């Protein structure tokens, strides 16, 4: 598997001949985006590569469409040229893909087929993008567990934007994962005080310890003003983790393809 981290949650995954893109964000930096209920965030870093360097894309794994740090304007436009777009059920009603947009809720699976017969089986996994009872406000989010062909092992798990909670722990206990993309950053907003909307470094360590993937890749912890945990703190949490966790973590340099 080859991974190229473009910034934020956006990763190009090259797997068994497939080009898979997670949460497309390609707008330039500087703009502030509203997230609803008085919350907003400014994009502080642009993508490491442009769309021309990333396309064509066979499959987009879109954890949710309603927050610009997971799908911005340029990312939304590129969906019209993607092969298959997988997202939430609500998101599938709102986005315009290249003709094959599929909405999933946690626990549902779909099979993506290539013209040459290769297949990917993708299962939506649980996310809660905030504290208890926040889902009606923050909206639905899913992660994705991807299997290749008839393999039983999960080749790729993208956690999506989520706090660490019971259903996510259960998924981590049940999945047998090769490579995990772990969304972190400890999202907070001034208007909602101490409430957190994504995992911090300690949560990431806890999740990786439970999941025990071959490789864990932290993503979506930089590039936006609503991340309250500086990247250095995430690095410190990983560095202080037990060896069994620390040795599984791979840090990606933005824009640089890396075999994992």
């Amino acid at each position: 598997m080859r991974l190229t981290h473009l910034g934020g949650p956006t990763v190009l995954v090259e797997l068994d001949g497939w080009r898979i893109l997670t949460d497309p964000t390609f707008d330039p930096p500087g703009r502030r985006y509203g997230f609803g209920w008085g919350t907003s965030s400014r994009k502080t870093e642009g993508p490491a590569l442009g769309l021309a360097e990333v396309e064509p894309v066979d499959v987009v794994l879109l954890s949710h469409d309603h927050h610009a740090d997971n799908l911005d304007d340029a990312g939304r436009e590129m969906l019209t040229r993607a092969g298959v777009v997988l997202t939430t059920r609500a998101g599938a009603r709102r986005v315009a893909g290249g003709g094959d947009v599929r909405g999933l809720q946690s626990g549902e699976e779909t099979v993506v087929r290539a013209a040459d017969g290769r297949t990917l089986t993708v299962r939506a996994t649980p996310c809660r993008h905030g504290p208890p009872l926040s889902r009606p406000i923050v909206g639905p989010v899913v992660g994705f567990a991807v299997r290749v062909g008839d393999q039983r092992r999960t080749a790729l798990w993208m956690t999506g934007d989520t706090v660490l909670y019971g259903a996510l722990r259960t998924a981590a206990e049940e999945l047998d994962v090769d490579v995990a993309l772990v969304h972190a950053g400890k999202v907070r907003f001034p208007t909602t005080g101490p409430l957190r909307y994504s995992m911090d470094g300690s949560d990431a360590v806890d999740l990786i310890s439970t999941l025990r993937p071959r490789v864990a890749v932290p993503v979506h912890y930089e590039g936006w003003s609503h991340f309250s945990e500086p990247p250095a703190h995430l690095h410190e949490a990983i560095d202080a983790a037990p060896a069994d966790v620390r040795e599984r973590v791979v840090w990606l340099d933005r824009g640089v393809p890396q075999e994992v």
Side-chain angles (χ1 to χ4, degrees):
M1 187 185 306
R2 182 162 67 174
L3 304 178
T4 308
H5 185 207
L6 307 181
T10 310
V11 180
L12 176 64
V13 181
E14 295 171 88
L15 170 66
D16 192 41
W18 297 91
R19 294 175 65 83
I20 303 168
L21 191 67
T22 66
D23 283 355
T25 55
F26 289 92
D27 285 358
R31 178 177 164 189
R32 180 169 288 278
Y33 299 79
F35 288 176
W37 296 86
T39 63
S40 66
S41 183
R42 184 171 61 86
K43 189 172 187 178
T44 60
E45 296 181 21
L49 299 175
L51 277 167
E53 300 168 278
V54 173
E55 294 178 303
V57 172
D58 301 310
V59 180
V60 175
L61 303 179
L62 177 59
S63 65
H64 57 303
D65 70 301
H66 51 282
H67 293 156
D69 61 322
N70 298 88
L71 182 68
D72 58 19
D73 291 344
R76 188 176 296 272
E77 192 273 335
M78 73 81 55
L79 295 182
T80 63
R81 300 187 297 274
V84 177
V85 178
L86 306 180
T87 188
T88 63
R89 286 185 174 183
R93 295 192 291 269
R94 291 189 291 253
V95 301
D100 192 349
V101 180
R102 308 180 193 180
L104 301 172
Q105 64 182 14
S106 179
E108 292 183 331
E109 285 189 351
T110 190
V111 177
V112 181
R113 301 182 186 277
D116 61 5
R118 289 174 296 119
T119 63
L120 294 176
T121 300
V122 184
R123 173 181 286 268
T125 59
C127 289
R128 196 184 75 206
H129 199 2
L133 306 180
S134 64
R135 189 170 283 112
I137 297 174
V138 300
V141 181
V142 291
F144 298 98
V146 180
R147 304 195 310 275
V148 175
D150 59 1
Q151 296 180 10
R152 300 188 65 179
R153 181 175 174 85
T154 297
L156 175 75
W157 184 33
M158 167 192 173
T159 66
D161 287 7
T162 183
V163 296
L164 185 60
Y165 73 116
L168 189 69
R169 288 183 186 275
T170 298
E173 291 168 354
E174 294 176 349
L175 288 170
D176 179 16
V177 173
D178 190 28
V179 176
L181 301 179
V182 180
H183 290 211
K186 193 180 179 181
V187 168
R188 282 181 172 173
F189 299 99
T191 55
T192 54
L195 298 180
R196 292 196 293 114
Y197 298 88
S198 66
M199 291 187 285
D200 63 10
S202 177
D203 296 330
V205 168
D206 192 341
L207 183 67
I208 295 166
S209 178
T210 300
L211 181 66
R212 297 175 61 83
R214 181 178 64 83
V215 172
V217 180
V219 296
H220 207 23
Y221 59 86
E222 39 66 52
W224 290 81
S225 63
H226 62 333
F227 292 125
S228 67
E229 180 176 63
H233 290 187
L234 177 59
H235 279 266
E236 290 169 2
I238 298 296
D239 289 344
D244 188 52
V245 171
R246 189 174 63 249
E247 293 170 356
R248 299 176 190 272
V249 174
V250 171
W251 299 95
L252 300 181
D253 295 325
R254 295 170 70 251
V256 179
Q258 185 166 336
E259 300 286 341
V260 297

